[in-house]
Amino acid sequence: MTSLDRLRGDVQPKNHNARTIAALTANPGCSRRAVMDAAGIDKSRLASYIGFPARFGQSQFAITRGNAFEAQLKANGCAELLRLLREALKLPIEEASYDDLESLEQMDARAARSRQLLTRAASGEEGAGTLFDHPLLRLEVGGRWVYLEPDLVALRTGGKFYVVEIKSFAVIDGQADGTKVSAAATQSAVYVLALRRLLAEAGHDPLLVSHDVVLVCPENFSNRPVATLVDVRKKLSVLERQLSRMARIDAIVESLSPDLTFDLAPDSSGVPQRPASELVDGLGQVDARYSPECLANCELAFFCRHEARGTTASLGKSVREELGGVSSVELALSLASGSASPEPDQEEAAAMLRYAAKLRAEIVS
Ligand code: SF4
């Protein structure tokens, strides 16, 4: 049994998908999340059990709308998608063939078939295919292989592969919600990376997979699609850094108590056998780095926010950086009012706080 197995206990590891892998990049400095994800611990179940259930995820309305939009684009062998790629992006797609890999039920068979078709296409064999729908890809995360079951289409044209990501959020007057575009770009980067690794394993140049992904969204609240090329190079480098950090998680795990476990094995009524207080104590042994962004990205966010209450770091990354050395809100207020004297490494932050307090007093009066 490895240390990570011991941390997870007597339950199956929680599988990742592109969304959860993408979320790993949201807070790369957090050891708690890195350990939990590397061990495959079900963070959502853990958070609920200790009384801080996660409250994020796609609404049913968004899922239904997304499915309908995707079905429209993929009908008749992706006819509408192809028209869009030809017209909007001027991609040189002359004749197109379409392979839907979802029809294979067995995961292993589907992964093997995806690999076979994609590597054949990478070799440039004649008639080797243009559009590959639902290819099953895999990626090594924390020493375990996880399958990625994307809705995506991999498009091969002009000797290059492009990841096509279909999203249901709207582009209004040429503008889309920046947070949503960024999240979609990170998810697409996961697929680009998995596709590149698949080609590299088969002896092909991984750079055959373009760092530009095609993001397809509905335009102006209609169902008319609009396509945009998004450069995901930056996302790729963050993702690769975070995944290699997870592969080197051993150093963090070794620093933890050898008895520590987050075992959620249930009793006969389906409730975890271990008391919630033990799990909370265990969480306290692994360093966290809470910031408000966690609320949209991590299932443990409400617990970590509660734990970080009163710290300046809980107010966000910019406050954490500006007030380096001043860890609590209470101390920050004392320094601002002059009722506490700063340590040498707090001088700069203290001067800024006093100035801010003076400005506030002038405005208020
Ligand atoms: S919510 Fe907690 S565990 Fe998750 S990333 Fe933030 S600090 Fe880390």
Side-chain angles (χ1 to χ4, degrees), residues 12-249:
Q12 285 296 311
K14 176 89 177 148
N15 272 334
H16 282 283
N17 54 41
R19 202 177 277 270
T20 58
I21 296 173
L24 298 178
T25 62
N27 192 352
C30 178
S31 298
R32 182 177 291 166
R33 172 162 198 150
V35 167
M36 296 278 150
D37 285 333
I41 293 165
D42 187 339
K43 299 195 298 300
S44 184
R45 190 153 169 256
L46 175 61
S48 296
Y49 183 55
I50 61 175
F52 292 92
R55 284 175 235 155
F56 66 84
Q58 264 191 309
S59 72
Q60 194 52 45
F61 173 74
I63 293 170
T64 309
R65 177 170 154 76
N67 289 345
F69 183 59
E70 186 184 329
Q72 172 199 329
L73 283 163
K74 289 185 177 176
N76 304 316
C78 287
E80 187 161 3
L81 185 60
L82 267 174
R83 178 196 59 72
L84 185 72
L85 297 172
R86 279 199 189 101
E87 288 176 14
L89 302 178
K90 313 258 180 297
L91 288 176
I93 313 163
E94 283 134 24
E95 291 197 7
S97 64
Y98 171 72
D99 290 283
D100 186 359
L101 290 146
E102 201 178 25
S103 50
L104 293 168
E105 277 183 17
Q106 291 282 335
M107 293 284 249
D108 288 346
R110 209 169 126 200
R113 180 76 179 139
S114 303
R115 183 185 167 87
Q116 184 195 27
L117 287 182
L118 291 165
T119 52
R120 198 162 70 107
S123 323
E125 272 182 46
E126 202 165 318
T130 318
L131 286 164
F132 306 92
D133 195 0
H134 296 107
L136 193 63
L137 307 172
R138 10 175 255 166
L139 199 61
E140 196 175 4
V141 181
R144 285 184 297 118
W145 286 102
V146 295
Y147 282 117
L148 299 172
E149 246 187 313
D151 297 331
L152 80 98
V153 179
L155 163 76
R156 183 180 147 269
T157 181
K160 281 245 167 205
F161 286 92
Y162 293 84
V163 162
V164 181
E165 181 79 359
I166 300 169
K167 290 288 177 196
S168 61
F169 59 82
V171 174
I172 300 160
D173 291 335
Q175 294 282 322
D177 181 327
T179 314
K180 289 181 178 167
V181 173
S182 173
T186 310
Q187 278 180 47
S188 303
V190 174
Y191 299 138
V192 170
L193 186 63
L195 204 46
R196 282 186 172 177
R197 292 197 175 167
L198 180 148
L199 293 189
E201 277 169 30
H204 294 287
D205 179 2
L207 297 183
L208 283 178
V209 184
S210 174
H211 55 252
D212 284 327
V213 302
V214 184
L215 186 60
V216 181
C217 299
E219 191 175 27
N220 298 339
F221 302 112
S222 70
N223 264 357
R224 201 175 60 197
V226 59
T228 321
L229 280 178
V230 180
D231 184 339
V232 298
R233 267 177 290 187
K234 237 166 132 181
K235 303 278 184 192
L236 271 170
S237 61
V238 177
L239 186 61
E240 288 191 277
R241 218 172 33 243
Q242 183 65 351
L243 288 177
S244 68
R245 184 169 179 268
M246 286 184 75
R248 291 182 277 106
I249 202 81

Side-chain angles (χ1 to χ4, degrees), residues 27 30 32-33 288-290 294 298 300-301 304:
N27 192 352
C30 178
R32 182 177 291 166
R33 172 162 198 150
R289 206 178 150 90
Y290 176 78
C294 292
C298 183
L300 288 170
C304 296

Side-chain angles (χ1 to χ4, degrees), residues 54-56 290-302 305:
R55 284 175 235 155
F56 66 84
Y290 176 78
S291 71
E293 290 77 20
C294 292
L295 291 169
N297 293 299
C298 183
E299 294 85 344
L300 288 170
F302 287 100
R305 184 176 68 170

